[in-house]
């Protein structure tokens, strides 16, 4: 069994679950407690991660570093590795964040300038807890090496042979639909609410598309609990669209929907949550 030391930056809900998969496979997994809160520490402990103290100490011990953070922090995490490890982190840096191919290329430039090898990653699915629930797509020259670290774990790692940032491109395309349409359905309900026809819309949905009312309630729950993170992901998707020559305005609007949404630690998927979201969206 490989004993590759792996650094995990940072053990949020998804990061801790991914780190737990690696720890369960027998890999020593490090995290850095400096600047992190008690919630992060509790997740890291529950996942079996070992505290290296600082990012610099982690980078000097690990042969692989996996970055899992909110999209807006991806570049800062890459810089923290490139700027604190002396003489330089020379292992494999895996960015598994929801970022555009353009941002992924910038991350690659940062870490490669310090001597590291870059692997692009994109996670699709919930925090891995059961087999076949979540996929980690990987691309880049060292992608197969990273895939093999997850053999036998709850995270299904797959290699894409379609260019360095293929994993990020796939993640953007996938989330462009799943999360983008969550913003769209909230905007649609907001339009109907503001025009005084929300009840009529819900009645029509019940007749012609009965799943949509439930989807709008689920979207409201996601906006309340995850919108703070999804806003920057929508901006990354908009940038991906623009770079491909496609209109990016829809996902910029989706970012604004999530940015305006009130952010709570938890929320049920019910009409009360929808009402709270619409109250924040509408003037």
């Amino acid at each position: 069994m490989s004993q590759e030391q792996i650094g995990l930056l940072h053990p949020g809900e998804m990061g801790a679950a991914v780190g737990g998969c690696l720890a369960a496979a027998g890999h020593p997994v490090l995290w850095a407690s400096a600047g992190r809160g008690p919630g992060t520490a509790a997740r890291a402990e529950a996942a079996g991660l070992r505290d290296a103290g600082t990012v610099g100490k982690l980078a000097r011990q690990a042969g692989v570093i996996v970055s899992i953070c909110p999209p807006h922090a991806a570049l800062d995490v890459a810089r923290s590795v490139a700027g604190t490890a002396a003489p330089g982190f020379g292992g494999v840096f895996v960015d598994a964040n929801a970022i555009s191919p353009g941002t992924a290329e910038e991350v690659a430039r940062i870490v490669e300038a310090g001597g590291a090898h870059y692997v692009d990653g994109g996670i699709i699915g919930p925090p891995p807890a059961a087999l076949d629930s979540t996929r980690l797509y990987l691309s880049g020259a060292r992608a197969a090496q990273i895939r093999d670290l997850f053999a036998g774990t709850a995270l299904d790692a797959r290699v894409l042979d379609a260019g360095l940032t293929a994993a990020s491109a796939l993640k953007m395309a996938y989330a462009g639909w799943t999360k983008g349409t969550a913003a769209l359905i909230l905007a649609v309900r907001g339009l109907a609410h503001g025009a005084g026809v929300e009840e009529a819309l819900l009645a029509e949905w019940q007749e012609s598309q009965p799943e949509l009312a439930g989807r709008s309630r689920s979207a409201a729950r996601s906006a309340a609990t995850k919108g703070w993170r999804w806003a920057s992901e929508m901006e990354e998707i908009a940038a991906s669209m623009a770079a491909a020559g496609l209109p990016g305005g829809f996902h910029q609007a989706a970012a604004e929907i999530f940015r305006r949404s009130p952010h709570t630690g938890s929320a049920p998927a019910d009409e009360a949550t929808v009402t709270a979201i619409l109250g924040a969206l509408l003037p």
Side-chain angles (χ1 to χ4, degrees), residues 69-76 79 95-107 109 118 120-121 165 167-177 179-180 227-256 258-259:
C69 64
H72 65 267
L75 290 171
D76 286 340
R79 292 186 187 106
D95 188 296
N97 298 306
I99 56 176
S100 69
T103 302
E105 289 172 358
E106 188 171 353
V107 171
R109 285 193 293 270
Y118 179 77
D120 194 39
T165 60
S168 285
L170 176 60
K171 172 66 176 179
M172 294 291 94
Y174 186 88
W177 170 257
K179 296 172 184 176
W228 65 274
R229 186 173 72 245
W230 286 10
S232 57
E233 186 170 347
M234 294 300 103
E235 291 172 340
E236 293 291 326
I237 294 169
S240 303
M241 294 286 185
L246 296 166
F250 174 76
H251 289 93
Q252 288 287 3
E256 184 61 20
F258 292 131
R259 194 176 294 113

Side-chain angles (χ1 to χ4, degrees), residues 4-282:
E4 180 86 74
Q5 287 229 112
I6 301 167
L8 192 286
L9 299 172
H10 292 282
E13 185 181 4
M14 179 65 77
V18 172
C21 288
L22 291 165
H27 305 292
V29 183
L30 308 174
W31 74 291
S33 62
R36 316 306 297 181
T40 305
R43 286 189 294 269
E45 181 178 4
L49 313 188
R50 300 190 334 214
D51 185 13
T54 66
V55 173
K57 290 179 180 177
L58 179 151
R60 287 189 286 273
Q61 297 176 57
V64 172
I65 292 177
V66 181
S67 171
I68 301 178
C69 64
H72 65 267
L75 290 171
D76 286 340
V77 169
R79 292 186 187 106
S80 74
V81 171
T84 59
F89 175 65
V92 180
F93 185 92
V94 184
D95 188 296
N97 298 306
I99 56 176
S100 69
T103 302
E105 289 172 358
E106 188 171 353
V107 171
R109 285 193 293 270
I110 291 169
V111 299
E112 288 174 350
H117 303 277
Y118 179 77
V119 169
D120 194 39
I123 300 173
I124 293 179
L131 288 174
D132 301 323
S133 66
T134 305
R135 273 77 56 208
L136 168 61
Y137 289 94
L138 300 161
S139 53
R142 301 290 186 98
Q145 174 189 342
I146 303 305
R147 176 199 60 201
D148 293 346
L149 295 175
F150 290 94
T153 74
L155 187 56
D156 180 4
R158 305 178 182 181
V159 173
L160 296 175
D161 186 17
L164 179 62
T165 60
S168 285
L170 176 60
K171 172 66 176 179
M172 294 291 94
Y174 186 88
W177 170 257
T178 57
K179 296 172 184 176
T181 52
L184 176 59
I185 202 167
L186 291 174
V188 165
R189 283 205 60 171
L191 172 63
H193 181 87
V197 296
E198 188 175 17
E199 290 304 316
L201 175 66
L202 291 172
E204 175 57 38
W205 277 355
Q206 183 58 39
E207 287 191 43
S208 60
Q209 300 191 71
E211 76 282 358
L212 290 187
R215 286 185 62 185
S216 69
R217 291 189 287 269
S218 295
R221 176 180 60 192
S222 294
T225 59
K226 305 173 185 177
W228 65 274
R229 186 173 72 245
W230 286 10
S232 57
E233 186 170 347
M234 294 300 103
E235 291 172 340
E236 293 291 326
I237 294 169
S240 303
M241 294 286 185
L246 296 166
F250 174 76
H251 289 93
Q252 288 287 3
E256 184 61 20
I257 293 290
F258 292 131
R259 194 176 294 113
R260 290 189 195 182
S261 298
H263 303 153
T264 63
S266 62
D270 61 14
E271 286 298 316
T273 302
V274 174
T275 298
I277 296 295
L278 298 187
L281 296 182
L282 294 166

